Every structure is written in C-alpha cells, then in structure tokens.
Amino acid sequence: MRTYLLLFLFTSAFLLKAKAQQLISGKITDAKGATLSYVNIGVKGGKIGTISDVKGNFKLSIPQDLLAEPFTFSCIGFQEQTFSVQN
C-alpha cells in the first residue's frame, strides 16, 4: 500500500509540474526576412534552451517560474539579442 501511495504522489507531482509550463514557439528571421538556421535560444539564469531548425522554427517549453527571465538568441555572425516574454 505504501508503494502505491508513493507512486501516486510522485505521479501527481510530475503532472502538476508538467502543467506549470508554457510552450514558446516561433520562426527566427534576419532583418531582411530570411530564415536563420541553428540559432541558439535559451533562458538567462536557467538551464533551458533549444536551437532553431533548418527553416528557423523553434519550440521551447518553459516552466512558469522562468517566464519572467530574459531569453537570449545567438547565432554565429550575428549580434546576440535578448528579449522578455510578456504574459
């Protein structure tokens, strides 16, 4: 019985944590509108990040507590850009 209770509590905590995330997605382009491949996208102060695909698309699941943190976008040959997400 104790094992089932621990398993239930662990599963419940995991589901609550999974719901407390927001998906950020987009397409990265340069000033002329050309897509940028393999751009590094990350949360400053967090260990969360991803890269854009060949077509410049990206998806990143962010925990609610990191949404106020700035996001950085960096790519070789371009100046690093930092943005904040507004809720």
Side-chain angles (χ1 to χ4, degrees):
M1 179 67 178
R2 184 178 182 143
T3 303
Y4 291 118
L5 180 59
L6 288 176
L7 181 59
F8 173 76
L9 291 174
F10 175 77
T11 305
S12 299
F14 178 77
L15 291 174
L16 287 174
K17 184 170 178 112
K19 284 187 176 185
Q21 293 192 1
Q22 182 160 348
L23 181 66
I24 307 292
S25 63
K27 185 171 192 168
I28 301 176
T29 60
D30 65 9
K32 296 180 181 178
T35 59
L36 295 176
S37 304
Y38 310 114
V39 175
N40 294 306
I41 302 132
V43 178
K44 281 202 173 209
K47 296 180 180 180
I48 297 173
T50 190
I51 60 170
S52 63
D53 64 12
V54 175
K55 296 180 181 180
N57 300 309
F58 73 94
K59 290 181 182 179
L60 186 60
S61 186
I62 306 292
Q64 289 293 115
D65 60 333
L66 292 179
L67 283 175
E69 298 296 321
F71 290 79
T72 59
F73 296 79
S74 62
C75 185
I76 295 174
F78 292 88
Q79 184 176 2
E80 182 178 290
Q81 298 289 313
T82 303
F83 298 96
S84 294
V85 174
Q86 301 292 327
N87 287 357

